[in-house]
Each structure stands twice: as structure tokens, then as C-alpha cells.
Amino acid sequence: MSAATIPEIITIALAKSFADHEVGFTGLVTGAAAMLYGTSIPLAAMMFAKLTHAPNLTILLAGWSHNPDLASLAALPDQEFDSTLLDLPCEAQTVRYPGQFSFKRGHVDFGFSSGVQLDVTGSLNSVVIGDHARPKVRLVGPILQPEHMTIFRREYVMLPHHTARVLVEKVDYVSGVGYPGGLAGRAALGIPEGGPEWVVTPECIFDFDKEAGRIRLRSIHREERRGELAGVTGFALPDLEDAPATPEPTAEELDLLRRVVDPRGLLLGRAPEH
Amino acid sequence: MASASFLPPRRTIPFPDRKVVTMAEAASLVPDGARVAIGGFANYQRPMAFVRELVRQRRRDLTVVGTVSGIEVDMLAGAGALKKVETSYVGLEKYGLARNIRRRNEAGTVEIVDYPEVLSFDRFRASRENLTFWPSAYLGGTDILTHNPDIKAFDCPLTGRKLYAVPPADPEVVVIHAGAADEAGNVLWPSRRLMPQELDLDTAQSAEMVIVTVEKIVSNQFVRRNPTLNMLPAYRTAAIVEAPCGAHPTPTLGRFVIDDAHMQAYVAASASDEAFDAYLDEWVRGTADHAAYLEKLGAAHVMRLQEIATI
Amino acid sequence: MSAYTTNELMAAAIAREIEDGDLIFVGVGTAGRAFTLAVGLPVVASRIAQASHAPDASIYWGNLLTPDLSRMPEAWLQDAFTTWPCAAQLQETSQKIDMLGKARFDISFESAAQVDRYGNLNITRLDRPDGSLKTRLVGCLAQPEHLAFVRKPIIVMDLDPRRFVPDVDYVTSFGYRRGGTRREQYALPGPGPQRVVTDKAVFDFAGEDNVMRVRSLHPGVTLDEVTAAMGFAPAVAPDLAETPPPAAETVELVRTVIDPDKKLLRV
């Protein structure tokens, strides 16, 4: 069997962090790289978890299709309300607001979000680059990010590009709040719960010293990239030397992922030689 | 002001290990003194088999938070299980007044906290949205305010208008009766439904401990064939109990009509504490469980209550 | 058989208050006379109005908008309501209750255990003279909302000195005034109760203080009989009239088309 790809390594690492009975919320993100990190890897990870240690996990695809039967799809739709999804076999569909679950009661255990900037406190920006009144670049807006980062019980920030322009010391606009001032700082803002758990990039996984309110390197996907990481990251990496490798999936895990979860490579693409 | 937690705790009462449990196990999830919301509306589709099991287990000091209350609250009052009800109405509609609760309220042993009907729904909306209060503009001049210190006046910070902060429903446990669920705990609703069934959805969203009694347990395949009817997915339910005709003597939409004769007998029995005690001895404490209750009703009688909604 | 019954007279009197295009809220009644007052008279009145001057008046009943009243269900069971032909069946609870809160209803019907001269209604409790609870009643239902939001609430009750009292024991629903407190100070969207239709007379609320005032006496009823049946002295309209009796065609319509089986006007 060929070696694990980076998306496969990330998928297995994410899957192992989900607990049974949890509810995971994913949007349907468009664009190749964004879709891979925002939708496909999260879906593959949740499906893998359901087949292994978390059979009662609920997948909320696009926030509305519960536990969809993705294996029946010929291609992943690229719109959240594509009629393909309407006909996709599933357990429940949420077609009105409020629906079967309540965001504000914390019914979503974890979600996945992205942005164009993420800073050392874990705050995320998808609104503007530059000044808010006269922005250099106006982006889409906060969408559901404020909710993802507060009333979801934890959040995985999925960044398809690891560059110094994305991973910055301080974001230009906070659309999703991290840990400014640590957990005490969050509590003082009236947000005693939720927040980013991991930040996942093609290079590495970050987590947080939540007390201190500071991002830290959790693991690196490829040893040969360790020397390059500081150059592509916009903030200091004091723990660069000590960070372990992201665990390599076992042969059994890769087999389950490739043969059962994603037999046609719809989600993660086909691994070479597979 | 920072609080220790702003999301409601997932489990104030431990969930059972399995989703499908017996009625006795389900009722034991409700401790004495609990704050409970009971599904249905007026005298429609009440989880009466569950209520009877609470009476068999001699539950005490319950607070029921409701909207338009009926026989379910009256039976709990008559059995001495009820301390307080917060609602807009307690009565038996065309069968008249709810005499057990009325007698006990007038004797001072059961407290009734009055809310207008729309606000009683809004209180569940507040819980669903995890709000600490629901704002209301129209309570001035009523004695609802005089008798309810939990409602506080405040000035709207945006308009300056005088408003009243109404506390959310916040039940600890919700019990409803529905048509079908699978073993995982997905619960199906009829596509064409009325207030009682629709209100059950709102009620179920107001708490984490949601117990559902159902006419029948169906396969997960059945659920997946009807995903648009799954209004209460498995992660929202704590326990499922199979209880055919489980709303008797109240009706279940598409399955059973109201048992008119039994309602009349109930009303007659609720004329005095003694007579009602005899009713409970015969129909509730005298039947070991819901199966025994159905047996006492008799197959022929139950069959006559069946309804065929469509062919 | 007399030319018309009191119920038919009351229905015709209510029908005259309904304007074309009105959206009419009908509640779910209980039994006996209470059913006639809360459901029977309102439905018959609405159909009389629809057949004459208000063809586009609509009824909202249960959760059905404009149910087909010419085909009333045999028994008012849940399933009958789900399959009763209608213009729309509102499903979400919030949709329904927000129609009330957004003041979408033109007409509603109220009855109560007590009503006072200012139109305050009590359906919650009766007290002893010392203020302690004597009799527990049903609660509040949505009556506080009706009097707060509906454009033209109509009180439908039989005259009775125990029900028409100087001061209600408990204000479930606020009318125009209690003690020194007036309706204006609450800035409620609705104007307050507009009519009181009883078995002996029709009232409105008039003058600066909005006190209950006899507008018309039913044929054959004297003012003394009306005041004797009330626990307070109502104001009297200077142009006190006789309540117009229902036209023969109206009575015919009620008896042959609207309510041939006396399902609505039972007692």
C-alpha cells in the first residue's frame, strides 16, 4: 500500500479527536483546496470515526443533511443546496430555522471553519484586509464564524494554505474570537465556552495554550518540512524543534479509509499507486 | 458580566446507557422535585402511559412547565405528585374543569403560576434559544404581574420602552408521545400535523433530557426512507420507550381517537379525593405496567379507538 | 316556533360588527353554553357576514385558515382538522403565535367569569372578600394577548350580576382602566374591547373613561331588566336603540345552511 498522503494523515488525526455521540457540523465549501480542507477532509474524518470508535457521531453536512449516505454519490456537490443533496439518502433534513437542533443550546459539538487570516490568539478573519472603512481587500463577511468560535463547543480551523500572510501575529479584523487574554480574557468577553481547538494546515497542526491564550505547534506532517516552517509562518514558533510528527496512519486505518470511507476518491482524491 | 457557563449543561441527569428502555426505567429518570415539560396540548396526545408510571413510582414535588395543560397535570395533582404548574390553562376542555388540580390549588397544596398563552409558548422559545429571558411588552395592568415576582420590568436599551423580562421555561426533562422512532433514537413526525404535534417539537428543543414514548419502534431504514419526517434526530433524545396507545385516554394523531367514555369516567372520578384515589387504584396503581393497563382496557375496546387517517 | 331565537339575534348582532376583509380568530370552545358563546355564535356570525356584506372575511380556526365551513367535520377530532379542506394550514407554532403578536387579527371573541365596567376580564380566579383564593378557574389562555393586539375584540357573554361586576377579582386581560391606571400608559397596539354582545343588550365602551355603555336593547327587553342583570350600573347611550332583529332570510340561512344540525348553536 502506498504511503499516506497529507490529507489522509490529517483525516485520521482529526477522526481520533472526535468522541462518540458528538455532533459535527460542516459547511459545503467550494474551490478545490478550500473544499478539501473545509468539507472533504472533515467528512472523511467523521465517517472514519463513525466506522471505528464513534458509531453514534452525527454528521451535519452543510448544516442540514444528517448522516448522509455519501457513498451513494457520484460526485460531491459544490453547492450547499444542490438538488443532489435533497435526494441524498440521510436520516434527517433541516429545512427551517430553528430546526431540529439549537445552535445556542450548544447542540453542535464541533465545527470546521476557515478564513484568510488567523493570529496567535486563534482569532480568525474573513471580513477585511486593511482598514475596515477603506479596506485593501473586502472579503465575504463574518458568516457563521462568530457562532462557530463561541457556541459550538469546539472548533477546528482548517487552512488550505500555510503562508505568512495567512498565519499572522494579529488579524486585521476579528470575525471569530480566539483566546485574547487566555481563557480569562474570553470569559471577560462573556464567552466562557467554545473556541478554536486545533488549527490544521497542509504543513502542521496547531493547538493552544488556552490559559496563556497563545497558539502552539502540536505536530508536523512531514519531517523534511520542519526547517521550512518558520519561513512560511507569520509568527514565532518557539516550539518548532520539539514538535512531534503528526502520527502516520496504520495500514489498517489507511485500508479502511481508502476502501470503505472513500472508495472512489471523491473526498480525498486517489492516493498514488492505489 | 461573565458567567461560569453560557451553554446549558448536556446532562444534568445521567442518560441511560441504551436508548430504548422500559417505561419504568424511563420514569425513573425523573427525580422527585424535577422540573418537567409534558408533551401534547390541552387533552391531545399526552404521554399518559409515562404519567401513569410516574404515579406508580410515587413521584413527589414535581413542577410542570406547560402551555395549555390538561389531564396530564390534573392526574399528577390528584396523585399527590405535583407541587407546582406554570401554564396558561388547566382544564379538560369539553369535559369541563380539571377538578383534582382545582381542589388542591384551592386547598393551598398545589401552586399555579399563570402565564398568558402566547408567552407560555415564548418561554419555550427562550429556552430553545438559550435566552435568559423573553421580552414582553403587554403585561401592564394585569394581575399576572401582581402574582408573579419572577417577571421583572425593565426599560428597552434601544427604544426606552417599558418591557417585562419573562423567565424561560427551562425544563430539566421533556417527555413527549410520538408515532415512531428507531432504536438509535430518531423520532418521526407526521407530515400533516396539528398544534399538539408541532408544539412537541418546540417543547423538545427546550431541554437536553428528552424522553419519547412511541407507538412503534421502527428500523433505521424506515427512518432513512423518511428523512424529512425526522424532526428529532437521535442526538436530541435520551430515551425511547415503545408504548402503543401510550397517550390513552387522549388521542394520538392518525392512530387513536380520544376515549370519550374513559374521559367521562375520569371526570366523574375526579369529583373527590376519595373517588380519584379509587380510580388510581384501579387504573394506575392496580396495573403493573402499560401492557397490563392495555389488557385491562381490553383489545376490543382499544381497537374501537383506532383511527384510519388515510387509505 | 318563534321568528328567531336569542342566539340567532346575537349572531346577527355580531355579524354586523364584522367588516369585509376581516381576519377573524375563533378559539376552541369547551362544552355547553360556553361552547356556544366561544365557538358557535362566532362561527355562525362569521358566515352570516360572509353571506351578506363581508364576503372576504376569513376565519382562522384551530390552525386552519379559512376552513370550508360548508363542510363541517362530523366530529371535531384531531384528524378531522388535519384533513378539513382549507386555504392554508399553519404548522409552526411560532408562525401562529406571531400572527397574534404582530396584530394580524381583526376580530376575536372573549368570554369570562368576570368582566367589569372598564372591560377588564378575569378567567383566572375568584377571590373571597379578603382577597384569598375562593375558586380556581382555567388560567389565562391567550386572552391577555387578544385584548392587547386584536383590532376589534368582541365580548360575548350572557348578562349575570355575578359576571358583570364593578371590579374583577383578577385582571387576566386588561381593558381600559383599573384604579387610576389607564390603557394609554401601556401603549398596547390594540384599542381594547370594542363591543359586548349579550343575551339582553349590546354594549360599547364610551366616553373619556371608556366605560361599558348600553347601545341597544334586544326587542322586548327593558333597560331595568338589563341593569338588574348587572353588578354595576352601565352608562346608557343617548340614542339608545333596539337591537335590530335578524332578517327572515338570515334566520332561514342559519337554520337550513349554516347550522342545520344545531352543532354550533346547541344551547
Side-chain angles (χ1 to χ4, degrees), chain C residues 112-116 120 122 125-127 134-135 137 157-169 226-232:
Chain C
Q114 292 181 327
V115 57
D116 67 21
N120 297 310
N122 174 18
R125 54 185 274 167
L126 300 178
D127 290 348
K134 182 169 141 242
T135 307
L137 306 171
M157 289 169 64
D158 292 331
L159 278 186
D160 178 337
R162 289 168 308 165
R163 290 179 180 269
F164 286 73
V165 296
D167 283 299
V168 293
D169 294 346
V226 167
T227 51
M230 299 175 73
F232 59 89

mmCIF file of all heavy atoms in Angstrom, chain C residues 112-116 120 122 125-127 134-135 137 157-169 226-232:
data_model
loop_
_atom_site.group_PDB
_atom_site.id
_atom_site.type_symbol
_atom_site.label_atom_id
_atom_site.label_comp_id
_atom_site.label_asym_id
_atom_site.label_seq_id
_atom_site.Cartn_x
_atom_site.Cartn_y
_atom_site.Cartn_z
ATOM 1 N N ALA C 112 -65.786 35.392 29.786
ATOM 2 C CA ALA C 112 -65.014 35.381 31.026
ATOM 3 C C ALA C 112 -65.918 35.075 32.209
ATOM 4 O O ALA C 112 -67.149 35.155 32.112
ATOM 5 C CB ALA C 112 -64.337 36.743 31.227
ATOM 6 N N ALA C 113 -65.299 34.737 33.309
ATOM 7 C CA ALA C 113 -66.063 34.543 34.544
ATOM 8 C C ALA C 113 -66.501 35.886 35.106
ATOM 9 O O ALA C 113 -67.557 36.000 35.724
ATOM 10 C CB ALA C 113 -65.210 33.802 35.569
ATOM 11 N N GLN C 114 -65.663 36.899 34.880
ATOM 12 C CA GLN C 114 -65.995 38.257 35.333
ATOM 13 C C GLN C 114 -65.543 39.275 34.296
ATOM 14 O O GLN C 114 -64.481 39.136 33.696
ATOM 15 C CB GLN C 114 -65.278 38.599 36.645
ATOM 16 C CG GLN C 114 -65.735 37.819 37.865
ATOM 17 C CD GLN C 114 -64.973 38.261 39.109
ATOM 18 O OE1 GLN C 114 -63.796 38.624 39.037
ATOM 19 N NE2 GLN C 114 -65.643 38.223 40.260
ATOM 20 N N VAL C 115 -66.394 40.289 34.108
ATOM 21 C CA VAL C 115 -65.978 41.447 33.326
ATOM 22 C C VAL C 115 -66.407 42.673 34.119
ATOM 23 O O VAL C 115 -67.441 42.639 34.810
ATOM 24 C CB VAL C 115 -66.599 41.431 31.910
ATOM 25 C CG1 VAL C 115 -68.118 41.376 31.953
ATOM 26 C CG2 VAL C 115 -66.152 42.650 31.087
ATOM 27 N N ASP C 116 -65.612 43.743 34.070
ATOM 28 C CA ASP C 116 -66.027 44.932 34.812
ATOM 29 C C ASP C 116 -66.342 46.088 33.868
ATOM 30 O O ASP C 116 -66.291 45.928 32.635
ATOM 31 C CB ASP C 116 -65.000 45.303 35.888
ATOM 32 C CG ASP C 116 -63.667 45.759 35.321
ATOM 33 O OD1 ASP C 116 -63.620 46.174 34.135
ATOM 34 O OD2 ASP C 116 -62.666 45.693 36.059
ATOM 35 N N ASN C 120 -62.150 45.017 31.761
ATOM 36 C CA ASN C 120 -61.159 44.062 32.266
ATOM 37 C C ASN C 120 -61.823 42.701 32.375
ATOM 38 O O ASN C 120 -62.981 42.603 32.788
ATOM 39 C CB ASN C 120 -60.641 44.481 33.645
ATOM 40 C CG ASN C 120 -59.915 45.809 33.601
ATOM 41 O OD1 ASN C 120 -59.030 46.009 32.777
ATOM 42 N ND2 ASN C 120 -60.311 46.733 34.487
ATOM 43 N N ASN C 122 -61.611 38.522 33.619
ATOM 44 C CA ASN C 122 -60.997 37.577 34.558
ATOM 45 C C ASN C 122 -61.421 36.159 34.213
ATOM 46 O O ASN C 122 -62.612 35.836 34.256
ATOM 47 C CB ASN C 122 -61.434 37.916 35.993
ATOM 48 C CG ASN C 122 -60.944 36.884 37.012
ATOM 49 O OD1 ASN C 122 -60.019 36.115 36.735
ATOM 50 N ND2 ASN C 122 -61.566 36.884 38.193
ATOM 51 N N ARG C 125 -59.173 33.471 38.448
ATOM 52 C CA ARG C 125 -59.520 33.077 39.819
ATOM 53 C C ARG C 125 -60.605 33.984 40.394
ATOM 54 O O ARG C 125 -60.704 35.163 40.054
ATOM 55 C CB ARG C 125 -58.299 33.108 40.746
ATOM 56 C CG ARG C 125 -57.572 34.430 40.744
ATOM 57 C CD ARG C 125 -56.318 34.370 41.586
ATOM 58 N NE ARG C 125 -56.586 34.651 43.006
ATOM 59 C CZ ARG C 125 -55.709 34.426 43.976
ATOM 60 N NH1 ARG C 125 -54.524 33.906 43.702
ATOM 61 N NH2 ARG C 125 -56.006 34.709 45.225
ATOM 62 N N LEU C 126 -61.410 33.407 41.285
ATOM 63 C CA LEU C 126 -62.379 34.192 42.051
ATOM 64 C C LEU C 126 -61.901 34.243 43.485
ATOM 65 O O LEU C 126 -61.434 33.237 44.032
ATOM 66 C CB LEU C 126 -63.769 33.552 41.982
ATOM 67 C CG LEU C 126 -64.355 33.418 40.565
ATOM 68 C CD1 LEU C 126 -65.711 32.717 40.620
ATOM 69 C CD2 LEU C 126 -64.485 34.784 39.894
ATOM 70 N N ASP C 127 -61.997 35.420 44.091
ATOM 71 C CA ASP C 127 -61.465 35.609 45.440
ATOM 72 C C ASP C 127 -62.578 35.812 46.460
ATOM 73 O O ASP C 127 -63.695 36.197 46.121
ATOM 74 C CB ASP C 127 -60.549 36.835 45.467
ATOM 75 C CG ASP C 127 -59.263 36.597 44.705
ATOM 76 O OD1 ASP C 127 -58.994 35.424 44.358
ATOM 77 O OD2 ASP C 127 -58.543 37.574 44.450
ATOM 78 N N LYS C 134 -60.786 31.820 46.336
ATOM 79 C CA LYS C 134 -62.006 31.072 46.592
ATOM 80 C C LYS C 134 -62.171 29.968 45.553
ATOM 81 O O LYS C 134 -62.349 28.807 45.889
ATOM 82 C CB LYS C 134 -63.210 32.020 46.558
ATOM 83 C CG LYS C 134 -64.522 31.321 46.864
ATOM 84 C CD LYS C 134 -65.643 32.344 47.094
ATOM 85 C CE LYS C 134 -66.945 31.849 46.477
ATOM 86 N NZ LYS C 134 -67.446 32.716 45.425
ATOM 87 N N THR C 135 -62.089 30.340 44.289
ATOM 88 C CA THR C 135 -62.292 29.363 43.217
ATOM 89 C C THR C 135 -61.218 29.530 42.162
ATOM 90 O O THR C 135 -61.011 30.619 41.629
ATOM 91 C CB THR C 135 -63.664 29.578 42.539
ATOM 92 O OG1 THR C 135 -64.663 29.594 43.552
ATOM 93 C CG2 THR C 135 -63.958 28.459 41.557
ATOM 94 N N LEU C 137 -59.935 29.095 38.503
ATOM 95 C CA LEU C 137 -60.502 28.931 37.159
ATOM 96 C C LEU C 137 -59.406 28.438 36.209
ATOM 97 O O LEU C 137 -58.351 28.012 36.659
ATOM 98 C CB LEU C 137 -61.104 30.255 36.696
ATOM 99 C CG LEU C 137 -62.127 30.848 37.673
ATOM 100 C CD1 LEU C 137 -62.504 32.262 37.250
ATOM 101 C CD2 LEU C 137 -63.373 29.978 37.774
ATOM 102 N N MET C 157 -71.088 37.321 26.100
ATOM 103 C CA MET C 157 -71.436 36.716 27.392
ATOM 104 C C MET C 157 -72.926 36.905 27.652
ATOM 105 O O MET C 157 -73.537 37.810 27.088
ATOM 106 C CB MET C 157 -70.652 37.391 28.540
ATOM 107 C CG MET C 157 -69.167 37.063 28.550
ATOM 108 S SD MET C 157 -68.223 38.118 29.688
ATOM 109 C CE MET C 157 -68.910 37.645 31.263
ATOM 110 N N ASP C 158 -73.467 36.051 28.503
ATOM 111 C CA ASP C 158 -74.830 36.278 28.973
ATOM 112 C C ASP C 158 -74.782 37.225 30.169
ATOM 113 O O ASP C 158 -73.886 37.114 31.023
ATOM 114 C CB ASP C 158 -75.472 34.948 29.396
ATOM 115 C CG ASP C 158 -75.714 34.042 28.185
ATOM 116 O OD1 ASP C 158 -75.918 34.573 27.076
ATOM 117 O OD2 ASP C 158 -75.684 32.808 28.374
ATOM 118 N N LEU C 159 -75.749 38.139 30.242
ATOM 119 C CA LEU C 159 -75.786 39.059 31.387
ATOM 120 C C LEU C 159 -76.065 38.284 32.665
ATOM 121 O O LEU C 159 -76.899 37.378 32.691
ATOM 122 C CB LEU C 159 -76.861 40.123 31.184
ATOM 123 C CG LEU C 159 -76.503 41.320 30.312
ATOM 124 C CD1 LEU C 159 -77.639 42.336 30.362
ATOM 125 C CD2 LEU C 159 -75.195 41.976 30.736
ATOM 126 N N ASP C 160 -75.346 38.658 33.720
ATOM 127 C CA ASP C 160 -75.466 37.965 35.000
ATOM 128 C C ASP C 160 -74.747 38.855 36.016
ATOM 129 O O ASP C 160 -73.588 39.233 35.794
ATOM 130 C CB ASP C 160 -74.768 36.593 34.869
ATOM 131 C CG ASP C 160 -74.795 35.794 36.172
ATOM 132 O OD1 ASP C 160 -74.934 36.403 37.261
ATOM 133 O OD2 ASP C 160 -74.649 34.558 36.106
ATOM 134 N N PRO C 161 -75.416 39.221 37.096
ATOM 135 C CA PRO C 161 -74.776 40.147 38.059
ATOM 136 C C PRO C 161 -73.500 39.563 38.672
ATOM 137 O O PRO C 161 -72.631 40.320 39.127
ATOM 138 C CB PRO C 161 -75.852 40.383 39.121
ATOM 139 C CG PRO C 161 -76.886 39.331 38.909
ATOM 140 C CD PRO C 161 -76.783 38.868 37.480
ATOM 141 N N ARG C 162 -73.340 38.235 38.681
ATOM 142 C CA ARG C 162 -72.115 37.656 39.234
ATOM 143 C C ARG C 162 -70.973 37.739 38.226
ATOM 144 O O ARG C 162 -69.814 37.567 38.573
ATOM 145 C CB ARG C 162 -72.343 36.186 39.625
ATOM 146 C CG ARG C 162 -73.245 36.023 40.844
ATOM 147 C CD ARG C 162 -73.665 34.575 40.978
ATOM 148 N NE ARG C 162 -74.228 34.109 39.707
ATOM 149 C CZ ARG C 162 -74.426 32.831 39.394
ATOM 150 N NH1 ARG C 162 -74.116 31.883 40.245
ATOM 151 N NH2 ARG C 162 -74.941 32.504 38.222
ATOM 152 N N ARG C 163 -71.305 37.941 36.968
ATOM 153 C CA ARG C 163 -70.278 38.017 35.925
ATOM 154 C C ARG C 163 -69.958 39.458 35.531
ATOM 155 O O ARG C 163 -68.823 39.764 35.182
ATOM 156 C CB ARG C 163 -70.732 37.238 34.689
ATOM 157 C CG ARG C 163 -70.753 35.735 34.907
ATOM 158 C CD ARG C 163 -71.235 35.021 33.658
ATOM 159 N NE ARG C 163 -71.251 33.580 33.848
ATOM 160 C CZ ARG C 163 -70.228 32.781 33.552
ATOM 161 N NH1 ARG C 163 -69.134 33.290 33.047
ATOM 162 N NH2 ARG C 163 -70.307 31.483 33.773
ATOM 163 N N PHE C 164 -70.962 40.316 35.548
ATOM 164 C CA PHE C 164 -70.746 41.740 35.253
ATOM 165 C C PHE C 164 -70.590 42.459 36.582
ATOM 166 O O PHE C 164 -71.568 42.809 37.222
ATOM 167 C CB PHE C 164 -71.908 42.298 34.418
ATOM 168 C CG PHE C 164 -71.862 41.830 32.986
ATOM 169 C CD1 PHE C 164 -72.198 40.513 32.660
ATOM 170 C CD2 PHE C 164 -71.481 42.687 31.969
ATOM 171 C CE1 PHE C 164 -72.142 40.066 31.337
ATOM 172 C CE2 PHE C 164 -71.424 42.249 30.646
ATOM 173 C CZ PHE C 164 -71.750 40.937 30.330
ATOM 174 N N VAL C 165 -69.325 42.606 37.008
ATOM 175 C CA VAL C 165 -69.044 43.060 38.376
ATOM 176 C C VAL C 165 -68.358 44.437 38.358
ATOM 177 O O VAL C 165 -67.731 44.800 37.357
ATOM 178 C CB VAL C 165 -68.144 42.042 39.110
ATOM 179 C CG1 VAL C 165 -68.877 40.716 39.275
ATOM 180 C CG2 VAL C 165 -66.833 41.825 38.360
ATOM 181 N N PRO C 166 -68.468 45.181 39.460
ATOM 182 C CA PRO C 166 -67.831 46.508 39.499
ATOM 183 C C PRO C 166 -66.316 46.422 39.304
ATOM 184 O O PRO C 166 -65.726 47.224 38.579
ATOM 185 C CB PRO C 166 -68.160 47.031 40.900
ATOM 186 C CG PRO C 166 -69.339 46.237 41.358
ATOM 187 C CD PRO C 166 -69.264 44.909 40.682
ATOM 188 N N ASP C 167 -65.687 45.444 39.964
ATOM 189 C CA ASP C 167 -64.246 45.251 39.822
ATOM 190 C C ASP C 167 -63.971 43.754 39.734
ATOM 191 O O ASP C 167 -64.418 43.002 40.594
ATOM 192 C CB ASP C 167 -63.491 45.792 41.052
ATOM 193 C CG ASP C 167 -63.385 47.307 41.010
ATOM 194 O OD1 ASP C 167 -62.770 47.811 40.055
ATOM 195 O OD2 ASP C 167 -63.945 47.960 41.916
ATOM 196 N N VAL C 168 -63.236 43.353 38.715
ATOM 197 C CA VAL C 168 -62.884 41.930 38.628
ATOM 198 C C VAL C 168 -61.915 41.588 39.759
ATOM 199 O O VAL C 168 -61.155 42.439 40.220
ATOM 200 C CB VAL C 168 -62.251 41.578 37.264
ATOM 201 C CG1 VAL C 168 -63.261 41.729 36.138
ATOM 202 C CG2 VAL C 168 -61.006 42.403 36.988
ATOM 203 N N ASP C 169 -61.961 40.332 40.201
ATOM 204 C CA ASP C 169 -61.058 39.908 41.277
ATOM 205 C C ASP C 169 -59.608 39.839 40.800
ATOM 206 O O ASP C 169 -58.673 39.989 41.585
ATOM 207 C CB ASP C 169 -61.467 38.523 41.796
ATOM 208 C CG ASP C 169 -62.815 38.549 42.486
ATOM 209 O OD1 ASP C 169 -63.298 39.655 42.802
ATOM 210 O OD2 ASP C 169 -63.402 37.468 42.718
ATOM 211 N N VAL C 226 -82.012 44.976 32.073
ATOM 212 C CA VAL C 226 -80.574 44.911 31.788
ATOM 213 C C VAL C 226 -79.772 45.288 33.034
ATOM 214 O O VAL C 226 -78.883 44.547 33.466
ATOM 215 C CB VAL C 226 -80.219 45.829 30.597
ATOM 216 C CG1 VAL C 226 -78.708 46.030 30.492
ATOM 217 C CG2 VAL C 226 -80.768 45.233 29.303
ATOM 218 N N THR C 227 -80.109 46.410 33.642
ATOM 219 C CA THR C 227 -79.315 46.842 34.808
ATOM 220 C C THR C 227 -79.507 45.881 35.980
ATOM 221 O O THR C 227 -78.572 45.659 36.758
ATOM 222 C CB THR C 227 -79.664 48.280 35.226
ATOM 223 O OG1 THR C 227 -81.084 48.377 35.358
ATOM 224 C CG2 THR C 227 -79.200 49.279 34.181
ATOM 225 N N ALA C 228 -80.678 45.269 36.075
ATOM 226 C CA ALA C 228 -80.899 44.296 37.153
ATOM 227 C C ALA C 228 -80.025 43.068 36.982
ATOM 228 O O ALA C 228 -79.722 42.355 37.943
ATOM 229 C CB ALA C 228 -82.372 43.883 37.196
ATOM 230 N N ALA C 229 -79.599 42.815 35.738
ATOM 231 C CA ALA C 229 -78.775 41.630 35.466
ATOM 232 C C ALA C 229 -77.288 41.960 35.497
ATOM 233 O O ALA C 229 -76.466 41.179 35.054
ATOM 234 C CB ALA C 229 -79.161 41.036 34.108
ATOM 235 N N MET C 230 -76.969 43.148 36.020
ATOM 236 C CA MET C 230 -75.560 43.548 36.077
ATOM 237 C C MET C 230 -75.205 43.981 37.490
ATOM 238 O O MET C 230 -76.040 44.495 38.217
ATOM 239 C CB MET C 230 -75.289 44.708 35.102
ATOM 240 C CG MET C 230 -75.564 44.334 33.646
ATOM 241 S SD MET C 230 -75.394 45.731 32.522
ATOM 242 C CE MET C 230 -73.612 45.954 32.493
ATOM 243 N N GLY C 231 -73.928 43.764 37.862
ATOM 244 C CA GLY C 231 -73.469 44.134 39.185
ATOM 245 C C GLY C 231 -73.014 45.574 39.280
ATOM 246 O O GLY C 231 -72.534 46.017 40.328
ATOM 247 N N PHE C 232 -73.096 46.313 38.191
ATOM 248 C CA PHE C 232 -72.790 47.742 38.215
ATOM 249 C C PHE C 232 -73.739 48.429 37.243
ATOM 250 O O PHE C 232 -74.329 47.790 36.371
ATOM 251 C CB PHE C 232 -71.331 48.014 37.830
ATOM 252 C CG PHE C 232 -70.961 47.508 36.456
ATOM 253 C CD1 PHE C 232 -71.134 48.317 35.327
ATOM 254 C CD2 PHE C 232 -70.438 46.221 36.277
ATOM 255 C CE1 PHE C 232 -70.805 47.853 34.059
ATOM 256 C CE2 PHE C 232 -70.106 45.753 35.016
ATOM 257 C CZ PHE C 232 -70.287 46.569 33.910
#
